Amino acid sequence: MRISSAEVIVTCPGRNYVTLKITTSDGITGLGDATLNGRELAVAAYLNEHVCPLLVGREAGAINDTWQYLYRGGYWRRGPVTMTAIAAVDCALWDILGKSAGMPVHRLLGGAARDGVLIYGHASGQTVDELLDDVASYLDRGYRAVRVQAAIPGLDSTYGLHHSGTGATYEPADARLPTENVWHTPAYLDFVPDMVKAVRDRFGYGFHLLHDVHHRLSPLEAAQLGKALEPYRMFWIEDPTPAEDQEAFRTIRQHTTTPIAVGEVFNSIWDCQHLITNRLIDYIRASVSHAGGITHLRKIFELAELYGVRTGSHGAGDLSPVSFAAALQLDMTVPNFGIQEYMGHLEPASEVFRTRYEFRDGYMHPGDAPGLGVEIDEQAAAKYPYDPKYLPVNRLRDGTMHDW
Ligand code: KDG
Ligand code: MG
């Protein structure tokens, strides 16, 4: 079974997604998500110009060799654009293998190690009261884990909140040119423990509670936050500090028992090797679509297993339903699974991507469809042309650029 074509589909049903579709000589198609938020066309061009021509004629089942060919053979290794492109190829080939075997990918990976995938949803509010109402709606729907974010008093805007009253999930890339947010760490550190306390006071401790810091603190500030949150038994605080400096996590670790999750911007095992092997984190958040696909993410998860680190993959709305379906397939199989983010997708994404996963009682179930369990409707995709959008940026009050 040889690859006969590889095509890139760019579409914007609610937000921009880049999808790689590989077709084999016997007419089987496989999908991989190649979306890199705010840099979508860089990956589309990388695939179209430099990867698709190399795929035609290759054996579709040679997943390991194709991965190595694109990674080692390309000379220029790693980086989000390269690794997202390789990930898309890898996921599409797993999809094809599953379809040709008549099995969901999790069976090809050794079979399910659990009945379903624990997910967390995103609750937020422009005020703490609004956040509490949102948490209530997640718990009412059966969620067992909820991430909480709210507007920080004293700041004009806060990233990562639903738009009031819409009920729709937020869109990370929100404008043609990056929106400029102003950040002030003292205002944040004063607010977050009170916000989390309000959630526990109202709803108790019978569900998992998570919070995303979006890389904005220094290691010492993150340690202070972790300590302040200890009474509220967090499932994790996420991305407390920029993670290029892996050793910096030791400072956080030494001061707090609040669990730490990191890695949604990582694209290879080398980004987290030190963090994992030194047990400086509790959860690794790398994703199937930005960290080299199922083949490479499985390697990261296996390394993590040796050091007691659990998985907690990124699953924001800027990873397409193809990515989420692939994540679920891998999540089902790894012994050290922790949790999976599920932010959901803005409509009309469901018109373009036909998914088979189902939410029941706090868990997501990938279903038994062969392959990844997701299809694309190309006619529907063509109705939604690319719409360039950027993520916001952050400055301090004096105008200094600040971390994401
Ligand atoms: O593209 C960036 C978003 O995916 C990210 O900001 C969302 O932090 C995020 C999360 O945890 O989902
Ligand atoms: Mg995050």
Side-chain angles (χ1 to χ4, degrees):
M1 188 174 52
R2 304 241 156 220
I3 295 173
S4 54
S5 68
E7 297 154 65
V8 178
I9 302 160
V10 180
T11 179
C12 185
R15 74 144 359 260
N16 292 310
Y17 294 116
V18 180
T19 307
L20 178 69
K21 179 180 136 194
I22 296 181
T23 306
T24 68
S25 42
D26 8 8
I28 300 180
T29 57
L31 300 179
D33 179 27
T35 309
L36 187 60
N37 199 355
R39 300 291 186 272
E40 294 89 358
L41 298 186
V43 186
Y46 189 99
L47 283 166
N48 273 323
E49 304 297 328
H50 305 295
V51 174
C52 294
L54 308 182
L55 297 177
V56 176
R58 292 184 65 82
E59 172 56 45
I63 300 177
N64 286 327
D65 185 63
T66 298
W67 199 97
Q68 297 291 330
Y69 182 76
L70 295 174
Y71 182 81
R72 294 177 184 235
Y75 188 69
W76 308 108
R77 297 184 182 189
R78 304 161 63 185
V81 174
T82 299
M83 296 303 280
T84 301
I86 295 178
V89 174
D90 185 78
C91 290
L93 294 182
W94 278 106
D95 195 17
I96 288 170
L97 192 64
K99 286 175 178 169
S100 68
M103 290 182 198
V105 168
H106 66 264
R107 284 188 58 198
L108 298 180
L109 296 171
R114 56 192 47 76
D115 299 332
V117 172
L118 176 69
I119 57 162
Y120 71 89
H122 282 210
S124 67
Q126 296 298 332
T127 62
V128 171
D129 282 344
E130 249 183 59
L131 167 67
L132 296 178
D133 290 346
D134 209 20
V135 173
S137 90
Y138 277 93
L139 297 178
D140 288 348
R141 280 178 278 157
Y143 278 75
R144 295 163 185 264
V146 186
R147 182 186 104 158
V148 291
Q149 316 285 135
I152 300 159
L155 300 190
D156 287 344
S157 55
T158 303
Y159 174 73
L161 311 179
H162 303 327
H163 300 294
S164 259
T166 65
T169 188
Y170 71 94
E171 168 45 51
D174 61 355
R176 286 255 159 171
L177 290 174
T179 308
E180 302 231 341
N181 291 334
V182 176
W183 178 256
H184 189 56
T185 298
Y188 172 79
L189 288 178
D190 284 347
F191 172 66
V192 172
D194 291 346
M195 173 189 79
V196 171
K197 179 176 187 307
V199 176
R200 284 301 194 203
D201 283 351
R202 165 124 169 234
F203 300 103
Y205 286 75
F207 64 102
H208 297 304
L209 196 51
L210 304 85
H211 175 70
D212 193 345
V213 186
H214 294 297
H215 307 105
R216 283 163 165 76
L217 300 179
S218 71
L220 215 52
E221 290 161 352
Q224 289 163 7
L225 177 67
K227 272 176 107 159
L229 294 180
E230 277 170 19
Y232 311 117
R233 213 174 69 216
M234 303 298 290
F235 189 87
W236 74 35
I237 54 171
E238 172 185 337
D239 290 343
T241 194
E244 297 96 312
D245 184 0
Q246 297 187 25
E247 183 56 22
F249 281 72
R250 199 178 297 278
T251 302
I252 310 175
R253 210 29 156 202
Q254 282 165 344
H255 291 284
T256 179
T257 56
T258 293
I260 301 162
V262 79
E264 66 181 51
V265 300
F266 291 172
N267 52 71
S268 85
I269 200 165
W270 306 104
D271 294 327
C272 44
Q273 180 190 21
H274 187 83
L275 287 170
I276 290 173
T277 59
N278 287 280
R279 302 174 192 265
L280 299 180
I281 55 171
D282 300 280
Y283 296 91
I284 180 68
R285 276 184 50 72
S287 73
V288 273
S289 38
H290 298 143
I294 289 171
T295 300
H296 192 66
L297 190 61
R298 182 156 64 147
K299 202 170 282 182
I300 295 176
F301 286 177
E302 284 170 355
L303 177 69
E305 184 192 351
L306 291 181
Y307 294 91
V309 174
R310 294 198 286 158
T311 73
S313 283
H314 190 204
D318 51 84
L319 291 90
S320 89
V322 178
S323 172
F324 189 69
L328 291 178
Q329 298 290 344
L330 183 57
D331 290 338
M332 284 297 282
T333 67
V334 290
N336 52 327
F337 171 75
I339 202 164
Q340 168 68 50
E341 180 180 14
Y342 176 62
M343 186 171 156
H345 297 94
L346 289 168
E347 289 303 340
S350 65
E351 193 191 324
V352 172
F353 298 99
R354 304 275 159 76
T355 57
R356 302 292 283 268
Y357 45 79
E358 279 176 18
F359 175 80
R360 284 196 303 276
D361 206 17
Y363 297 91
M364 202 61 92
H365 300 268
D368 274 334
L372 297 178
V374 57
E375 296 301 332
I376 190 165
D377 179 333
E378 290 181 66
Q379 280 184 348
K383 292 195 316 198
Y384 304 105
Y386 182 67
D387 182 16
K389 292 269 171 65
Y390 283 101
L391 285 158
V393 298
N394 242 339
R395 290 187 189 276
L396 301 182
R397 285 179 170 166
D398 68 356
T400 308
M401 279 299 299
H402 190 57
D403 292 309
W404 234 102

